[in-house]
């Protein structure tokens, strides 16, 4: 994805408008905040005040952000965003760092093409599950 496309996505998610990651595609967005990182997968809400503090993004798959069209759709998208956060939280509950790194990699590889996952920097996965990038590098050999 080009720098201009990333800037366009950043502008959207920093805006007061709520956007929804297209649920009809295998796509998603890794959102870097100041002290942590979140993943917003298909159906999840982004922007609309949720991501004002976004420092950077990594789009996955053929990212498509759709405008929300109703309060009901917004509520559903917010619930889905929370579900993605909870899924990641399940991995961070594991005491061993290598297990957390392995689990997040397995989860992403089961959903996205492995070539897409291989392009995601170790640092991004590390921030998702609270491990060092070195641990993610080691876990890549196990997955």
């Amino acid at each position: 994805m080009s720098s201009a496309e990333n800037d366009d996505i950043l502008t959207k998610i920093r805006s007061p408008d709520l956007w929804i990651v297209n649920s009809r595609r295998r796509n998603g967005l890794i959102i870097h905040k100041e002290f942590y990182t979140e993943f917003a997968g298909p159906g999840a809400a982004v922007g609309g005040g949720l991501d004002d503090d976004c420092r950077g993004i990594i789009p996955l798959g053929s990212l498509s952000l759709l405008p929300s069209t109703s309060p009901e759709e917004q509520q559903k998208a917010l619930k889905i965003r929370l579900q993605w956060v909870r899924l990641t939280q399940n991995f961070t509950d594991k005491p061993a760092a290598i297990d957390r790194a392995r689990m997040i990699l397995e989860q992403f590889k089961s959903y996205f093409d492995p070539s897409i996952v291989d392009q995601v920097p170790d640092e991004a996965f590390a921030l998702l599950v609270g491990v060092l990038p070195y641990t993610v590098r080691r876990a890549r050999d196990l997955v």
Side-chain angles (χ1 to χ4, degrees):
M1 190 163 272
S2 74
S3 177
E5 290 171 312
N6 274 359
D7 289 346
D8 182 47
I9 294 166
L10 276 171
T11 300
K12 282 182 178 178
I13 69 169
R14 287 179 178 154
S15 79
D17 299 323
L18 193 74
W19 297 86
I20 300 171
V21 178
N22 191 338
S23 62
R24 297 183 191 272
R25 291 188 184 182
R26 285 190 179 239
N27 66 148
L29 195 58
I30 295 175
I31 303 169
H32 296 294
K33 306 281 185 126
E34 186 171 0
F35 298 110
Y36 64 98
T37 297
E38 288 183 15
F39 176 70
V46 295
L50 293 172
D51 302 304
D52 287 344
D53 57 345
C54 176
R55 302 281 174 125
I57 49 128
I58 299 175
L60 299 174
S62 180
L63 183 68
S64 169
L65 297 179
L66 306 172
S68 61
T69 57
S70 70
E72 295 79 22
E73 188 179 54
Q74 290 177 0
Q75 187 174 19
K76 180 181 176 190
L78 289 167
K79 286 179 181 178
I80 292 172
R81 171 80 178 256
L82 187 56
Q83 288 173 345
W84 284 109
V85 169
R86 285 185 179 141
L87 176 67
T88 306
Q89 165 104 40
N90 289 338
F91 304 145
T92 61
D93 288 343
K94 303 295 179 205
I98 193 72
D99 290 341
R100 296 195 304 267
R102 184 183 48 75
M103 289 177 76
I104 196 72
L105 288 169
E106 286 173 351
Q107 181 67 37
F108 274 73
K109 283 192 176 189
S110 73
Y111 192 73
F112 293 104
D113 186 87
S115 66
I116 291 172
V117 177
D118 291 343
Q119 292 174 11
V120 176
D122 294 339
E123 294 77 16
F125 286 125
L127 287 167
L128 277 169
V129 293
V131 301
L132 295 172
Y134 170 77
T135 307
V136 174
R137 257 190 314 279
R138 283 186 31 227
R140 285 187 193 266
D141 294 335
L142 303 173
V143 175

